[in-house]
Amino acid sequence: MTSIPGKLTNARILVVDDDETNLRLLGRILSGNGYNDVKSTSDGTAVFRLVTEFEPDLLLLDLHMPPPDGFAILEALGPWIDGPGKMPVLVLTGDDTSDTKRRALSMGARDFLAKPFDGIEAILRIRNLIETRLLYRALESHNVELETKVRERTHALEQAQIEIMERLARAAEFRDDETGRHTQRVGSMAAGLAAAMGLGEKTVELIRRAAPLHDVGKIGVPDGILLKPSNLTPDETQIMRTHTEIGSRILSGGQSELIITAERVALSHHERWDGSGYPHGLSGADIPVEARIVAVADCIDALTHNRPYRAAWPLKAVIEEVHRCSGSHFDPEIVNAMIESRLHRRITVSPPRPWPAPILPETSTATDE
């Protein structure tokens, strides 16, 4: 009897041979060397069930048996032999011709044990295959642990990135939003519009996270312009409009899909469907879809909430204005999605205040902010 480490003797071994004498001999060899978790069968039709239930670490398989023979069994067990578990097969055969060996090896067999058996040779070959199997399983387990740690670390980094982005968005909005919740509302509404358009769950979540940074560039706009309680002069308007490019520069160079999406939103959320927007005069589908969605969400939220230069509009007037601007300022598909999904019915409106009075111009100023 050779010395077998305990972890090897715990291995599960399945022996398949139509000769009961061979089964008894292998059983004595295995038990005599400490292998106690052994099952055997002379019925080839039972192998598939036993492999499924027993999940052996090693299969000892006779090739020449009544149907199904060893080759048919090798073919049927392909997913176990070549799949994630890679169950090793030690072929038992008195046929040591090259053709037989090549065929068995090509079907997934790992090694051969010639009949009649030599006990020491049998145990050494069995031990080598089980050691390889256990090393492979240990490597699999280690890889799973590494993948779990990588996922956990990636999730932590993503959460940290999201938190930093949220704080950056809040830093920008606190300068001109008295409640500090504009960015959150725009993110929620933009996600609702994306979902109503049938965009994928991943895209909806990206837009939810990226939309709050649409006005991050306002960090670079002077207070005298950003908080001016009256209409801006043409020069002041040009300065205000630079917030799109400032925001894009702040977010540029990012590697994650979230930062890249946020950069596109910051740069293009004031582009208009008809090409009359800024900063680049893009039109139609040339405007990134996330920016087109945020343009609608931003306009609705801006008009339904108080600003230093005007009071909130009535909700009915806001929806009428957005609908009127469909096809000029806004992507008609997005406006239709909002109307058909009745998303606008969930919009909250700022309580009325006496000053300044709501401004309801003939052409919307919402997208000029």
Side-chain angles (χ1 to χ4, degrees):
M1 173 175 172
T2 60
S3 176
I4 306 294
K7 64 179 181 180
L8 298 186
T9 59
N10 290 329
R12 298 181 299 274
I13 300 174
L14 175 61
V15 185
V16 181
D17 195 313
D18 65 327
D19 188 331
E20 293 290 344
T21 302
N22 288 334
L23 290 180
R24 287 193 295 271
L25 174 59
L26 284 168
R28 286 196 300 271
I29 292 173
L30 290 169
S31 63
N33 284 272
Y35 293 102
N36 298 313
D37 200 356
V38 179
K39 289 185 182 297
S40 61
T41 182
S42 59
D43 181 4
T45 62
V47 175
F48 188 87
R49 175 181 57 80
L50 287 170
V51 167
T52 303
E53 296 174 354
F54 186 47
E55 297 182 350
D57 294 302
L58 175 64
L59 172 64
L60 278 62
L61 176 65
D62 183 23
L63 286 181
H64 298 292
M65 299 189 301
D69 64 7
F71 293 110
I73 291 172
L74 281 173
E75 183 175 6
L77 294 179
W80 280 267
I81 296 171
D82 297 325
K86 293 189 179 298
M87 177 185 67
V89 178
L90 175 60
V91 167
L92 312 174
T93 181
D95 182 358
D96 61 353
T97 62
S98 297
D99 287 345
T100 297
K101 289 184 176 180
R102 279 196 296 268
R103 185 181 176 192
L105 288 170
S106 69
M107 299 180 74
R110 300 290 180 84
D111 201 356
F112 294 84
L113 184 61
K115 298 178 180 180
F117 307 126
D118 176 87
I120 294 177
E121 179 187 2
I123 287 301
L124 289 175
R125 291 183 183 276
I126 289 168
R127 176 174 177 169
N128 287 339
L129 289 174
I130 291 177
E131 281 183 332
T132 302
R133 163 75 164 183
L134 294 182
L135 286 172
Y136 181 82
R137 294 296 291 269
L139 179 61
E140 277 188 324
S141 178
H142 182 63
N143 287 340
V144 169
E145 289 180 13
L146 288 178
E147 289 173 3
T148 300
K149 290 179 179 178
V150 168
R151 283 196 299 269
E152 290 173 350
R153 181 64 62 86
T154 300
H155 179 71
L157 290 173
E158 288 175 349
Q159 290 303 115
Q161 182 185 69
I162 289 169
E163 182 177 353
I164 290 170
M165 291 179 67
E166 289 175 348
R167 291 178 182 274
L168 182 60
R170 289 172 62 189
E173 75 170 340
F174 276 151
R175 298 182 62 217
D176 72 333
D177 177 23
E178 62 187 25
T179 66
R181 295 184 58 84
H182 168 68
T183 61
Q184 297 177 39
R185 292 192 301 264
V186 171
S188 178
M189 188 179 303
L193 287 170
M197 292 175 65
L199 301 185
E201 184 177 339
K202 180 181 178 181
T203 301
V204 170
E205 190 59 24
L206 272 176
I207 291 173
R208 183 192 308 280
R209 298 295 187 183
L213 283 163
H214 65 285
D215 275 342
V216 69
K218 286 185 177 180
I219 289 174
V221 177
D223 283 350
I225 295 175
L226 187 65
L227 304 178
K228 186 176 181 180
S230 58
N231 291 335
L232 300 180
T233 67
D235 287 343
E236 290 170 336
T237 297
Q238 288 305 114
I239 294 173
M240 175 65 82
R241 290 184 173 188
T242 63
H243 79 274
T244 55
E245 293 173 294
I246 293 171
S248 175
R249 289 199 297 272
I250 290 172
L251 298 168
S252 66
Q255 300 300 311
S256 74
E257 194 171 4
L258 178 57
I259 294 292
I260 293 170
T261 302
E263 180 186 356
R264 289 199 296 264
V265 168
L267 180 64
S268 301
H269 70 285
H270 282 298
E271 300 286 3
R272 296 179 177 176
W273 186 253
D274 63 4
S276 63
Y278 65 90
H280 296 136
L282 300 179
S283 63
D286 289 338
I287 306 168
V289 65
E290 54 266 37
R292 284 179 264 148
I293 288 172
V294 170
V296 176
D298 184 33
C299 173
I300 292 174
D301 190 78
L303 290 178
T304 53
H305 290 81
N306 296 320
R307 284 289 186 266
Y309 45 86
R310 58 154 176 78
W313 288 24
L315 179 58
K316 182 180 178 181
V318 172
I319 300 306
E320 289 175 351
E321 178 68 10
V322 171
H323 192 269
R324 186 183 70 80
C325 292
S326 176
S328 56
H329 293 191
F330 305 125
D331 180 344
E333 182 183 357
I334 298 172
V335 176
N336 290 339
M338 180 194 69
I339 301 299
E340 291 175 4
S341 67
R342 301 185 178 183
L343 185 64
H344 59 285
R345 293 190 177 185
R346 301 199 295 270
I347 296 170
T348 59
V349 181
S350 288
R353 66 181 184 183
W355 62 273
I359 302 171
L360 300 175
E362 292 184 1
T363 57
S364 173
T365 59
T367 54
D368 290 328
E369 293 183 0

